[in-house]
Amino acid sequence: QGFCLGGELPGALTYVVETAPRIAPFVCGVVFACVTMGVAVATGVSLGVRTYLDPELVPVYGWRIAFILGGLGGILSFLLRRSLEESPEFARMKSFAVRQPFAELLKTNRVHVLVGCAILAGTGAFNGLFFAHLPGYLSTVLKYDPRDAVLAQTFGVIACAIGMMITGWLGDRIPPPHLLRAGVTLLMVFAMPFYTALEARSANLILLCVLAGATAGLTNGSFAVLLTDLFPTRIRFTGVALAFNVSLTAFSGTAPLLATSLIQNTGSATSPAYLMIAGSVIALLGTVWVNRYGGNVLKTGE
């Protein structure tokens, strides 16, 4: 998974903005929406396995269904990419490409990497909490039915993907930094009410997850084009990949562990909200510098 996401998503984002720079916000939104729909398919498979197989059969061979489907998807992806050519923008300046892009990146664009890591903090915190931590949290800590938890998460993931598509479309009309600021602000404000409502069971579980996913669509649908905008073509893939992987490792990869530790140490089931608030604050601060250090894709200085 690490090799896949670490190289695949930054490469996809780099490719689409260089292939269709005039609609960069939209195509970036499409890429991340497709990734998120993959998560929805995965949760759907999990739900189907839990529904149609006897519980004792799931750990024996039911889990293999997801691996088989994922493998078939990988083969299809491999066949499709064999027909792709280099992006026109990269092809035009291929002769100027640096032989050691990582060294140049650290020499000339270190601040850009830090800004990229910051604007990803909100996305990282949300994805780690919502995609990885939430199902186990609902069933183990709050004692929801596991099937209900997976079903609600699936609806939330679909809502998030739709929100990303809409955000990408809006990004061609509204400056993406504004959309990112709006998204992380909403996540920051509503993180604690979301977890409080989950604990108190004061609202429908599916509705809560849909609202959370739709809200995160603003953040997840706008960060990608801002990240690609920070780096010139010759080192864009390296810059996007470094910022993406460092930030997702720091904010998303650690979120389930930190959330569990917070619950244990504070005795409060709502304490994971503080992680979402912290990630949102960092992302909000990061947007202060995107205009200053960007401008490689969004030529208008958005």
Side-chain angles (χ1 to χ4, degrees):
Q1 286 293 317
F3 278 114
C4 175
L5 280 176
E8 185 75 359
L9 192 52
L13 293 173
T14 300
Y15 187 83
V16 296
V17 298
E18 292 177 1
T19 304
R22 293 184 179 180
I23 53 171
F26 178 69
V27 293
C28 283
V30 168
V31 167
F32 214 65
C34 290
V35 173
T36 304
M37 284 305 298
V39 177
V41 171
T43 57
V45 171
S46 174
L47 183 63
V49 168
R50 292 171 183 269
T51 301
Y52 296 109
L53 285 182
D54 292 333
E56 62 269 16
L57 296 179
V58 174
V60 178
Y61 71 87
W63 58 272
R64 301 175 192 270
I65 296 173
F67 279 76
I68 293 171
L69 293 175
L72 292 175
I75 294 172
L76 177 61
S77 176
F78 173 75
L79 295 174
L80 287 173
R81 75 187 55 241
R82 293 190 67 185
S83 64
L84 294 177
E85 299 177 353
E86 289 287 5
S87 68
E89 184 177 341
F90 185 82
R92 282 194 299 270
M93 61 174 303
K94 192 172 183 179
S95 59
F96 300 101
V98 293
R99 293 186 177 183
Q100 295 181 319
F102 190 76
E104 178 175 334
L105 176 71
L106 295 182
K107 182 179 180 180
T108 62
N109 291 84
R110 282 176 292 185
V111 177
H112 300 72
V113 172
L114 292 175
V115 173
C117 289
I119 63 175
L120 263 160
T123 292
F126 176 84
N127 289 359
L129 290 171
F130 194 81
F131 294 163
H133 183 253
L134 186 65
Y137 166 79
L138 290 174
S139 59
T140 304
V141 178
L142 300 183
K143 307 303 180 183
Y144 282 87
D145 181 85
R147 186 178 179 278
D148 292 341
V150 174
L151 181 63
Q153 185 198 34
T154 302
F155 277 100
V157 171
I158 293 172
C160 188
I162 294 172
M164 290 181 208
M165 295 282 286
I166 295 173
T167 300
W169 177 79
L170 289 173
D172 292 323
R173 297 154 178 81
I174 301 173
H178 295 350
L179 297 172
L180 182 61
R181 291 183 190 115
V184 293
T185 299
L186 289 173
L187 288 175
M188 179 173 58
V189 170
F190 289 108
M192 186 57 73
F194 172 75
Y195 277 96
T196 301
L198 288 178
E199 182 186 32
R201 299 176 185 253
S202 59
N204 179 271
L205 181 59
I206 292 178
L207 177 61
L208 284 173
C209 289
V210 167
L211 290 175
T215 301
L218 276 170
T219 303
N220 290 1
S222 57
F223 84 87
V225 70
L226 295 173
L227 182 60
T228 59
D229 188 50
L230 290 170
F231 305 100
T233 303
R234 67 183 185 278
I235 55 172
R236 179 169 295 136
F237 173 80
T238 306
V240 170
L242 181 61
F244 181 87
N245 290 313
V246 168
S247 194
L248 265 289
T249 299
F251 296 104
S252 187
T254 62
L257 177 62
L258 292 176
T260 302
S261 298
L262 279 173
I263 294 170
Q264 292 176 344
N265 292 328
T266 65
S268 172
T270 63
S271 57
Y274 295 120
L275 293 177
M276 187 68 257
I277 293 171
S280 298
V281 169
I282 294 171
L284 198 58
L285 291 174
T287 63
V288 174
W289 288 280
V290 290
N291 288 340
R292 178 177 178 181
Y293 293 102
N296 292 288
V297 175
L298 303 172
K299 302 299 182 181
T300 59
E302 295 175 335

